[in-house]
Amino acid sequence: MAEEEERAPAAVVFDALGLAYEEAFATSASHLASLGWLVERLKPGSRVLDVGSGTGRPTARVLVDAGHRVLGVDVSPVMVELAARQVPEAEFRLGDIRELPLAVGAFDAVCVYFSLLQMTRAEQAAVVGKLAAALRPGGLAVLATVPVDVEGVDVTFMGQPVRVTSFAAGDFARLAADSGLSVLAEENVMFTPAHPDGGPEPQVFLYCRRDEG
Ligand SMILES: C[S@@+](CC[C@H](N)C(=O)[O-])C[C@H]1O[C@@H](n2cnc3c(N)ncnc32)[C@H](O)[C@@H]1O
């Protein structure tokens, strides 16, 4: 137990969930549509960073099948192991995106699907800023989160205790814009995960491009 307390809280939660997360969320039409948006715009062989890559499905799987080179980063060893097994054509690294150095302009696209929620607001802003800098000018980003105006609220997520911090949709879009991303489109939806404890949750998908120059 003492060891668990030293680990990133997200690692504890997502190690416990593993494939159950994919079973509950991977069919999201909005998630798949946002991947379609990236695939339509990226040149073959584009370099894509998937932050909080989970089980590798659907994100890395769709991007690899479309011919792109995907690097997934996740703080949960169980998720990294699942992703490496399910999408062997991609590269997955175990790490905390808050601490991982990223080369400036190294990626053609960045994906963030629901992986910021266990960070403070300052950490989320710092991570989005770092990701914007890691995009080449004109590079694309999809940023998805649960747009609720809460800080450090304890909830039960798929049976796991988890502390959540997020932003209202407008504030999340401003955070992206303040990081040097143009928000080209924003989709707000309600999604109900396929899980006995899953009620409808709001989700926002920001379709972004790194400003040139
Ligand atoms: C809600 S799941 C979403 C997984 C995947 N993005 C998807 O949409 O299918 C969030 C993922 O982000 C990872 N994560 C959370 N905080 C992280 C951090 N600081 N660094 C890297 N990964 C993180 C979790 O371990 C988990 O796999």
Side-chain angles (χ1 to χ4, degrees), residues 62-129:
V62 168
L63 293 168
V64 157
D65 286 350
H68 303 303
R69 294 173 293 160
V70 177
L71 171 62
V73 175
D74 204 293
V75 76
S76 152
V78 168
M79 288 304 204
V80 169
E81 195 275 332
L82 282 166
R85 184 146 42 87
Q86 297 198 125
V87 193
E89 307 94 323
E91 179 189 353
F92 295 97
R93 276 190 216 156
L94 178 62
D96 190 323
I97 194 64
R98 292 170 291 191
E99 289 155 17
L100 193 74
L102 295 174
V104 170
F107 293 95
D108 300 298
V110 168
C111 301
V112 179
Y113 290 105
F114 311 106
S115 47
L116 301 174
L117 292 153
Q118 278 77 60
M119 302 177 197
T120 66
R121 284 184 171 168
E123 287 170 342
Q124 293 187 39
V127 165
V128 173

Side-chain angles (χ1 to χ4, degrees), residues 117-212:
L117 292 153
Q118 278 77 60
M119 302 177 197
T120 66
R121 284 184 171 168
E123 287 170 342
Q124 293 187 39
V127 165
V128 173
K130 182 163 77 168
L131 297 176
L135 277 174
R136 66 167 170 74
L140 302 175
V142 173
L143 308 180
T145 197
V146 177
V148 285
D149 183 13
V150 297
E151 269 191 283
V153 169
D154 291 320
V155 300
T156 301
F157 175 68
M158 295 178 67
Q160 300 297 315
V162 58
R163 185 161 292 172
V164 172
T165 295
S166 193
F167 296 91
D171 292 332
F172 191 58
R174 263 185 293 283
L175 185 160
D178 291 347
S179 303
L181 298 171
S182 294
V183 179
L184 307 175
E186 172 178 335
E187 188 190 16
N188 283 277
V189 295
M190 293 299 290
F191 178 74
T192 304
H195 187 270
D197 298 339
E201 67 172 41
Q203 298 183 337
V204 63
F205 293 77
L206 301 182
Y207 292 70
C208 307
R209 187 175 56 218
R210 185 182 151 189
D211 297 338
E212 306 270 354

